[in-house]
Amino acid sequence: MRVVLGVSGGIAAYKAVEVCRRLVDAGHHVVPVMTDAARRFVGAATFSALASEPVPDGLWEGGIPHTRLGQTADLVVVAPATADLLARYAAGMADDLLTATLLATRAPVVVCPAMHTEMWEHPAVEENLAILRRRGVRVVEPASGRLAGGDVGTGRMAEPRDIVACVAAWFGAPGDLQGRRVVVSAGGTREAIDPVRVITNRSSGKQGHAVAEAARDRGAEVTLVTASVLEPPPGVRVVPVESAADMEEAMRAACEHADVVVMAAAVADFRPKASAEAKIHEAPDLVLEPTPDIIAGLAARRRPGQVLVGFAAETDDAMARGRRKLDRKGVDLLVVNDVSAPGAGFDHDTNEVTILEPGGRATVVPLQSKRAVADAILDRVVARLQGESA
Ligand code: C5P
């Protein structure tokens, strides 16, 4: 693809150098376009050397560069997109080569915002982004981490590898989940005892986040309903939740039109019957009640053709418990996760599972990265979507 890489003036411009290199490595023809402010952070020579393409000087160089760039682009990626660039783009201004190119193009546009947290949370920025989203612009959300000047917070540009992964997922060769709506739940829910304490479990959310990322990379439109405190993968719609009740509501809404539902969350099975309004100072007699079985509810109301995946985190007799759960929950795939096995389960970066299906099929997935396990699960999901049963 011919990709115009727009670079605006923030400190993350130094990371745009790597975005450029990775896009070139992925086989794209990259034309870098820098704003004047971007040139204060990085030299144009760096981009032109990586892209083997001169960086155009500006609007006033010969040959009407903005229309040429806009018309010939297959994709425009703006990384970083500063608050100023987003404002000018949303307002339809065309006062430099980058904004003029953005107006002149009919190609899809991806923006990768980067700015300080206060600016990112400002209503002006939120409204500008909402306008751009409504016009079809794709957004690779910023992450949280270290910002200019040593501050820490949300607003840091997504990592170059994630930006390029989003580009590949959205505009690359169609993956086997292209056009499919996938909803993933992740993390351990937290059930309030009082405003200060919660009951929770050891789930980190890593496996669920890996499933969301893998589904994104295979072309799906992903919604991630997460109780995890980990950074979610970019390029997916994130619905943060805390309790089983929150998760039930969010999943119900998200799953209505979903093709695939992967319930990787470790939903609390029990919660305090009542949670105190103020901090408790004496050891309470906790009375617990069962939480709603979210996945059973989803199974009962699922739309035709929807593939439903459950998990079973067990410490003993995992396979027998898994088989019983497969029947009881009415799911198409049940991922049995023996969390007592070395290197598997809670908070590890690796996992080892067995995927059970009605009819007796069992796929053993040996110890490997959670991302690779996620792809093995999605391989079976795709097979079921294509009508293959056990
Ligand atoms: O019964 P158990 O908690 O082991 O079942 C695990 C599976 O059921 C997981 O997919 C989990 O996300 C889901 N679950 C649920 N609602 C609950 C408890 C578990 O959807 N209240």
Side-chain angles (χ1 to χ4, degrees):
M1 275 194 295
R2 187 176 159 89
V3 182
V4 169
L5 175 63
V7 185
S8 62
I11 180 58
Y14 89 91
K15 289 203 286 184
V17 172
E18 198 185 335
V19 175
C20 181
R21 184 185 64 73
R22 283 178 180 266
L23 287 170
V24 171
D25 286 352
H28 301 298
H29 176 177
V30 180
V31 186
V33 174
M34 302 176 75
T35 63
D36 287 345
R39 289 170 201 263
R40 291 178 172 250
F41 287 96
V42 219
T46 310
F47 285 100
S48 62
L50 286 169
S52 311
E53 177 80 30
V55 178
D57 266 343
L59 267 177
W60 303 107
E61 75 173 28
I64 326 179
H66 61 293
T67 49
R68 185 172 35 84
L69 284 167
Q71 285 164 356
T72 56
D74 298 309
L75 174 69
V76 181
V77 178
V78 185
T82 59
D84 176 68
L85 186 282
L86 293 171
R88 288 189 293 131
Y89 184 22
M93 290 171 70
D95 52 354
D96 63 9
L97 182 56
L98 179 53
T99 45
T101 303
L102 285 166
L103 282 199
T105 195
R106 295 292 172 266
V109 176
V110 175
V111 296
C112 311
M115 63 200 75
H116 248 67
T117 311
E118 295 83 350
M119 297 168 83
W120 173 244
E121 290 173 351
H122 195 286
V125 173
E126 284 178 358
E127 283 168 27
N128 286 332
L129 260 186
I131 289 172
L132 293 175
R133 279 189 212 269
R134 273 205 303 281
R135 293 180 188 156
V137 172
R138 300 266 198 155
V139 181
V140 182
E141 301 272 336
S144 60
R146 193 200 289 245
L147 302 164
D151 290 344
V152 174
T154 305
R156 181 187 157 92
M157 188 174 81
E159 290 307 313
R161 63 172 268 278
D162 291 324
I163 292 171
V164 176
C166 287
V167 166
W170 291 334
F171 308 106
D176 53 11
L177 286 172
Q178 195 72 31
R180 300 286 194 173
R181 276 184 288 245
V182 175
V183 179
V184 183
S185 72
T189 62
R190 291 181 295 282
E191 311 299 328
I193 297 172
D194 68 11
V196 180
R197 291 103 168 180
V198 293
I199 296 179
T200 188
N201 57 65
R202 292 184 191 279
S203 166
S204 62
K206 284 182 183 171
Q207 185 63 73
H209 284 203
V211 171
E213 186 183 76
R216 175 202 73 192
D217 289 350
R218 295 166 80 137
E221 196 184 298
V222 181
T223 301
L224 174 63
V225 176
T226 181
S228 167
V229 294
L230 296 177
E231 193 77 59
V236 308
R237 189 170 79 90
V238 179
V239 184
V241 294
E242 183 165 308
S243 65
D246 296 342
M247 185 169 276
E248 182 182 36
E249 194 184 324
M251 288 301 287
R252 214 176 255 200
C255 293
E256 212 174 313
H257 302 291
D259 300 299
V260 178
V261 179
V262 181
M263 196 68 203
V267 185
D269 291 305
F270 313 104
R271 66 184 168 205
K273 202 162 179 152
S275 94
E277 302 230 327
K279 183 177 170 183
I280 299 171
H281 294 281
E282 303 282 320
D285 280 329
L286 274 186
V287 181
L288 301 178
E289 65 175 9
T291 53
D293 191 334
I294 301 173
I295 202 168
L298 296 175
R301 58 174 59 213
R302 77 163 118 178
R303 54 184 226 150
Q306 188 180 70
V307 174
L308 196 53
V309 184
F311 275 64
E314 302 292 350
T315 54
D316 58 290
D317 213 6
M319 293 307 287
R321 286 180 197 278
R323 289 208 178 283
R324 287 199 293 273
K325 219 161 268 187
L326 177 67
D327 294 337
R328 200 175 66 236
K329 303 247 177 189
V331 295
D332 300 293
L333 300 174
L334 196 284
V335 181
V336 183
N337 199 176
D338 181 350
V339 292
S340 64
F346 299 134
D347 211 26
H348 288 287
D349 291 322
T350 50
N351 209 0
E352 151 181 44
V353 304
T354 302
I355 307 167
L356 302 180
E357 296 175 49
R361 182 178 189 133
T363 309
V364 177
V365 184
L367 191 68
Q368 53 198 306
S369 69
K370 285 191 168 169
R371 170 55 199 258
V373 169
D375 274 306
I377 296 166
L378 293 178
D379 286 345
R380 289 309 306 150
V381 165
V382 168
R384 308 278 316 185
L385 281 172
Q386 289 167 351
E388 183 196 318
S389 52

